[in-house]
Structures are given as structure tokens and as C-alpha cells.
Amino acid sequence: MFKKLSRSAVSTAVLVAAAAVALAPTPASAAPASASASAPVSASASAAPAPLSRARIAAHFDLSKGQTPENLALAPGGAAYVTFAKARQIAEIAPDGTTRILATLPKPADGGIHTPALGFPLTVGIVRAHDGTLYFLYATGTPDLTGVWRLRPGGQPQRIAALPAGGLPNGLALDPRTCTLYVTDSVLGTIWRVPTTGGTPTAWSTAPELAPAGFLGANGLKIHNGAVWATNLDKGTVLRIPVLPDGRAGRVRTKATGLPGIDDFAFTGRGDQLLATLNGPGQVVLVQPDGSHSIVLSQADGLQNPTAIALRGTSVYVTSAAYVTAQDPNLLRAHLNR
């Protein structure tokens, strides 16, 4: 997650520094790939014939209204649900690109100026349960609003679990088997676990691999093949943490490196192969199980600081928030060639 230019000079300075350090364009000599936590194996990033085709912009959003899409969840009927970070909103995007605002979160009393790392309140990760309930995250820097929220069909948003005001909840994943939500905290370097019924969060993992290195750490999050997978934006890594039989977190393994500004990701259905968004470079990359990666979408396809990615069958959806480019936040669709 790389956020908008703030109103204040302080926030602007933070974002400029982040653009220069955490989200620098991918160098030609980038060294991704690792199959172990202790001895990563280098492999060069290179552009390869894209496994994606028919890329097109499915919906354009209004930057002047704060419609900066941060994360998305897909519904069986073809709709997509997104969080508009700057607007503090949850929206439904119809298959024809029509946008409908479902909820606007309350603005904190201090305006959100104490939101860690960013200085403004924002809606972030979102998931959809089978019954249509949406779970999402809200970060404000205040104890009364920061946490996990729920929106049932036709209902009103409700906070179901408080998270530390000194943190920045970001990525969200749902394990439907155990009715458990997992949350990455990009500032505290923590993965939290929360029941879908709400309640007190548990710090599931505080492994050092999750910590930030100057700006934001643990970011994107998915449940896959008995493990929790996460990205680290500052370190440009993909991490795998097995869920042990008793539910505790196992040993972290670094599965890929050399991915500057990595944000969200999604598995393609071919084992551990995944697609990931690189926010600063404005790219989507295909990451193989051995950690090697290749560029499959770029700014030439319409990407504007891509923030999230999701798959429905062979359809790939990518949100771009245009935090730095300040041009055309959008939802892109492409076809996955299997």
C-alpha cells in the first residue's frame, strides 16, 4: 500500500521518501527468488511473454472524490467490492463498471492526523464471506475506530474488533473453514487473528520478517494450502507461514525476494504460482514457485500504482489507486491464459 499525497508538508515528505526508497522502480539487476528463509537463491527478474491477454480498463474512478481503490473482493455474480482509501468508503463495482457506494466510515474527531506512517484515515483490506457479508479494515490512529469492520447485505457498517491505534491494519484474509480473519499490521509488523464473530484480536505472528524497514512492512495477505502468505512492502518479499495443527504460526519461509513495492497478490490456481502488484513500479508480476518472476502487466496496460489483485476463474482484476501518478485510478480486467 502506497498512499496519496497528503495535505500536510510532513506527510508529503514521508511519501516522497517512500517513493524514493521503498517503491523505487525495479532495477534491471533485481535479484528475486528464494526457496528458503536462510539462503535465498538469486534469479533475475525479466520481462517474458505475458500469460495475460485482453487487458482493458473496466472502470474509471474519480480522484477528486477520493476514489483511490486500495483492495478488492469478488462476488460470484460478477460484481467487485473495493475500499476507497481516501474517501473512507466501501463500494460495489457492477460488471458494466457502474460504481455504487455502500458505506462511508465515520471520520475521526482529529481528522486522522495521527494515523501511523500516513497521517490520514483510510479503509484498507476487504474480504467477502459466502453469505455476502463484507469484512474490511479501517485505520485512523484513534482507538475508537481503528480495527476490523463488518457490513452485512443491506445493513450498516459495524466495528467488530478493535486493533491498536498505533498500528496500521492493512491486508485482510478469511479462512472460511475456521471462521477466522487474519490481518497484517504494516507498522507493528504483526499478523493478527480475529474470529468472524468479533472480539479481542490475538497476535498470531510477530516474526521479524514482517517488520517494516523504514516505511511499511507486512502488507498483502492470503490463505493458501494450509499456510498464511504475506508480502513485505519495504523488503520486497513474499512470505509463507504454515498454520500448525494447534492453530499457531509455524516458521516463516521467504518464498520470493527482489519485488520492490510489492502490495497485494493472488494465486493463479497452479500450485504456489502467484500474481503480485508492484505499486511504485506500476507493474503486475508473475511469481513462480521457485521465486523467479516476470512482468506481465505494466503502465502501458493502464496500471496507475496498482494496489490489489484478485482472480475469478480466468478473469484477473487489478485495482490502481494512482497515489503517485495522480492520474486515472481504475479497475483493470485481463484474461489468464492457462
Side-chain angles (χ1 to χ4, degrees):
M1 168 187 39
F2 181 64
K3 299 306 171 202
K4 72 176 181 69
L5 297 178
S6 173
R7 301 182 189 88
S8 71
V10 173
S11 294
T12 299
V14 169
L15 294 178
V16 169
V21 179
L23 300 180
T26 308
S29 59
S34 126
S36 69
S38 58
V41 178
S42 282
S44 299
S46 61
L52 302 184
S53 62
R54 305 202 298 270
R56 64 179 181 86
I57 304 299
H60 298 272
F61 304 123
D62 191 338
L63 196 60
S64 68
K65 294 180 179 179
Q67 294 182 350
T68 51
E70 174 57 34
N71 203 244
L72 80 158
L74 304 179
Y81 297 95
V82 303
T83 52
F84 284 144
K86 181 182 175 183
R88 314 187 317 278
Q89 292 177 332
I90 309 303
E92 179 186 61
I93 314 302
D96 65 359
T98 303
T99 299
R100 180 168 70 101
I101 305 302
L102 301 180
T104 300
L105 275 293
K107 190 174 184 178
D110 65 0
I113 60 172
H114 297 297
T115 305
L118 300 171
F120 63 93
L122 62 156
T123 48
V124 266
I126 187 169
V127 295
R128 180 186 182 276
H130 291 305
D131 64 358
T133 299
L134 299 174
Y135 298 90
F136 56 95
L137 303 173
Y138 188 32
T140 67
T142 60
D144 59 323
L145 295 173
T146 299
V148 182
W149 290 64
R150 178 176 63 203
L151 179 63
R152 291 192 170 112
Q156 296 295 317
Q158 172 190 16
R159 189 173 73 158
I160 62 170
L163 289 168
L168 189 78
N170 194 337
L172 183 64
L174 169 64
D175 185 347
R177 298 177 303 106
T178 60
C179 297
T180 302
L181 295 161
Y182 291 84
V183 180
T184 55
D185 190 310
S186 297
V187 167
L188 299 181
T190 299
I191 294 179
W192 300 96
R193 186 169 60 179
V194 181
T196 55
T197 52
T200 304
T202 301
W204 185 72
S205 178
T206 56
E209 291 89 345
L210 300 170
F215 185 45
L216 299 177
N219 197 323
L221 191 65
K222 293 292 184 294
I223 309 295
H224 174 69
N225 284 350
V228 174
W229 293 63
T231 62
N232 185 309
L233 183 142
D234 281 350
K235 298 175 182 177
T237 54
V238 177
L239 309 169
R240 181 185 186 274
I241 311 175
V243 180
L244 301 179
D246 62 0
R248 291 183 301 115
R251 178 171 175 259
V252 179
R253 296 189 67 195
T254 302
K255 300 295 291 183
T257 62
L259 298 164
I262 188 169
D263 199 322
D264 192 31
F265 63 102
F267 291 94
T268 66
R270 294 182 175 179
D272 291 343
Q273 184 189 72
L274 59 89
L275 291 161
T277 57
L278 304 188
N279 196 309
Q283 298 168 349
V284 169
V285 294
L286 179 69
V287 183
Q288 301 294 349
D290 67 357
S292 61
H293 60 270
S294 57
I295 300 165
V296 295
L297 291 173
S298 70
Q299 295 180 34
D301 298 295
L303 298 182
Q304 303 276 339
N305 304 127
T307 51
I309 188 165
L311 276 73
R312 181 193 291 118
T314 57
S315 294
V316 179
Y317 296 72
V318 185
T319 52
S320 286
Y323 290 127
V324 177
T325 66
Q327 298 178 7
D328 190 28
N330 62 60
L331 174 66
L332 178 147
R333 285 189 62 178
H335 178 76
L336 176 65
N337 301 316
R338 296 192 182 277

